[in-house]
Amino acid sequence: MSITVNNITKSFGKQKALDDISFSIEKGEIVGFLGPNGAGKSTLMRILTTYYKSDSGEASVNGFSVDKEQKKVQESIGYLPEHNPLYLEMYVKEYLGFNASVHKIPKSRIEEVVKQTGLEPEMHKKIGQLSKGYRQRVGLAAALLHNPEVLILDEPTTGLDPNQLIEIRKLIREIGKEKTILLSTHIMKEVEAVCDRVVIINKGQLVADKKMQELREAEEQIIEVEFDYRVEEVLLNQLPNASKVNNVSGFVYEITFNTQKDMRPAVFDFAHDNQLKTLQLSRKNKNLESLFTELTS
């Protein structure tokens, strides 16, 4: 395993940031790490990168304990924190050279990561002159310099425009062909486009760990319907394959069905048989966003 987290707990005073969290990530996986603000994502990332120590439990990166083998863990990880710490007055080449000297790696490695991250056009500019997208590329280049096996990226696409977002997304996918990546983000489409798997935490607890393929193939759909009159939810629950009914507001209902078959005709027939008018009727597959909302709201 590239990353193993076993029963990690961490508190700050009386506030429990992480509560008995456990999961593992295999080599070569790109895993989306999701949760609302304050869920504990950054805390766990800082434990994995040896910035914080857990109160209890164990974690390892590439087989090295984050508590007992910190130097080995740091050598194994490339870390891009949420607030990318860059020296804005330094030139790109100068900044990467400084990082190379810290890691005691040959300067020839700089050319490799510059090419890999598409920084060639900006090499001779000061970092302060770069767009947000290119600054993120500089942060990624610095994280890749020592050729780590694991990348931990905390909100790497925050504040990027749509074009920059597509470019960084493509870059992460390319890097993920060779490395294990743990990616924290609030952008659901980001996870759906880039990740193999998603881990969701809420209030410091693990609430979901699913392969993206499982979500895509899930035989589940949600029908949103608005009638002209209130309906008893128990009647809607009697529809074939209905698993859950939610009265969203007024006469609007969300009905979850455990089938891939389009259930809109069945809902329409129900309305007809009960002398109801359907004012709106729409179908949506249960995607990552609806799963996230269900688990964290």
Side-chain angles (χ1 to χ4, degrees):
M1 293 292 177
S2 286
I3 296 175
T4 303
V5 176
N6 287 324
N7 308 114
I8 289 290
T9 296
K10 176 69 176 177
S11 296
F12 297 96
K14 294 181 179 179
Q15 182 180 357
K16 188 171 278 189
L18 297 171
D19 186 4
D20 200 33
I21 292 278
S22 296
F23 64 89
S24 58
I25 301 176
E26 294 182 10
K27 186 174 182 179
E29 278 192 299
I30 305 178
V31 176
F33 191 36
L34 302 180
N37 287 333
K41 302 186 303 297
S42 292
T43 299
L44 183 57
M45 287 181 154
R46 288 168 186 163
I47 289 171
L48 290 173
T49 51
T50 75
Y51 284 87
Y52 288 167
K53 281 198 170 186
S54 62
D55 297 334
S56 61
E58 298 177 345
S60 64
V61 178
N62 286 333
F64 302 116
S65 166
V66 298
D67 291 325
K68 300 172 185 175
E69 300 169 285
Q70 293 184 354
K71 184 67 175 174
K72 292 287 187 183
V73 170
Q74 291 164 8
E75 290 170 353
S76 297
I77 286 178
Y79 179 41
L80 181 62
E82 181 178 0
H83 302 291
N84 190 1
L86 299 171
Y87 296 104
L88 302 184
E89 291 303 312
M90 294 181 78
Y91 291 91
V92 173
K93 192 171 184 178
E94 180 187 11
Y95 175 74
L96 294 176
F98 166 72
N99 279 273
S101 64
V102 169
H103 289 292
K104 298 184 172 70
I105 56 177
K107 294 291 176 72
S108 59
R109 175 67 182 151
I110 295 173
E111 294 178 14
E112 293 175 21
V113 296
V114 163
K115 185 176 181 180
Q116 186 178 10
T117 54
L119 277 170
E120 295 103 322
E122 312 298 317
M123 272 296 287
H124 302 290
K125 289 184 180 178
K126 285 187 175 182
I127 294 173
Q129 296 175 306
L130 303 181
S131 67
K132 179 75 185 288
Y134 272 109
R135 290 187 193 185
Q136 290 298 81
R137 287 173 184 260
V138 172
L140 274 171
L144 289 166
L145 264 176
H146 58 298
N147 201 21
E149 294 185 43
V150 175
L151 273 182
I152 293 183
L153 310 177
D154 195 355
E155 302 285 351
T157 57
T158 299
L160 302 186
D161 67 35
N163 289 332
Q164 293 169 338
L165 210 156
I166 290 168
E167 291 169 0
I168 294 296
R169 183 186 295 167
K170 182 180 177 182
L171 177 56
I172 291 170
R173 274 201 304 264
E174 284 297 313
I175 294 169
K177 291 176 181 178
E178 301 175 353
K179 302 186 183 300
T180 303
I181 298 178
L182 180 62
L183 166 71
S184 168
T185 180
H186 283 96
I187 305 171
M188 302 298 159
K189 288 183 179 178
E190 198 74 19
V191 177
E192 291 175 333
V194 172
C195 298
D196 308 309
R197 183 171 140 221
V198 61
V199 171
I200 304 176
I201 65 172
N202 186 40
K203 297 178 181 176
Q205 296 183 325
L206 184 74
V207 293
D209 184 349
K210 290 184 176 288
K211 297 274 189 183
M212 292 305 301
Q213 193 65 25
E214 289 178 45
L215 289 175
R216 294 186 187 105
E217 293 175 352
E219 290 189 350
E220 196 168 83
Q221 65 183 285
I222 297 172
I223 301 292
E224 185 175 88
V225 58
E226 182 178 4
F227 299 115
D228 63 340
Y229 199 77
R230 181 172 295 279
V231 180
E232 291 293 330
E233 293 179 27
V234 66
L235 294 176
L236 293 171
N237 267 310
Q238 292 174 10
L239 283 163
N241 302 305
S243 62
K244 181 181 177 183
V245 176
N246 180 29
N247 183 200
V248 179
S249 63
F251 306 149
V252 180
Y253 299 84
E254 280 188 349
I255 312 167
T256 302
F257 293 94
N258 289 323
T259 178
Q260 289 182 329
K261 179 184 175 183
D262 189 349
M263 295 303 293
R264 284 175 294 182
V267 175
F268 185 83
D269 289 344
F270 168 86
H272 179 269
D273 294 344
N274 289 275
Q275 289 81 51
L276 297 166
K277 288 182 181 178
T278 51
L279 304 181
Q280 65 161 319
L281 182 62
S282 60
R283 167 183 169 165
K284 51 186 178 181
N285 289 329
K286 189 164 185 179
N287 59 10
L288 180 59
E289 188 167 353
S290 59
L291 175 68
F292 180 86
T293 302
E294 179 183 312
L295 293 173
T296 62
S297 61

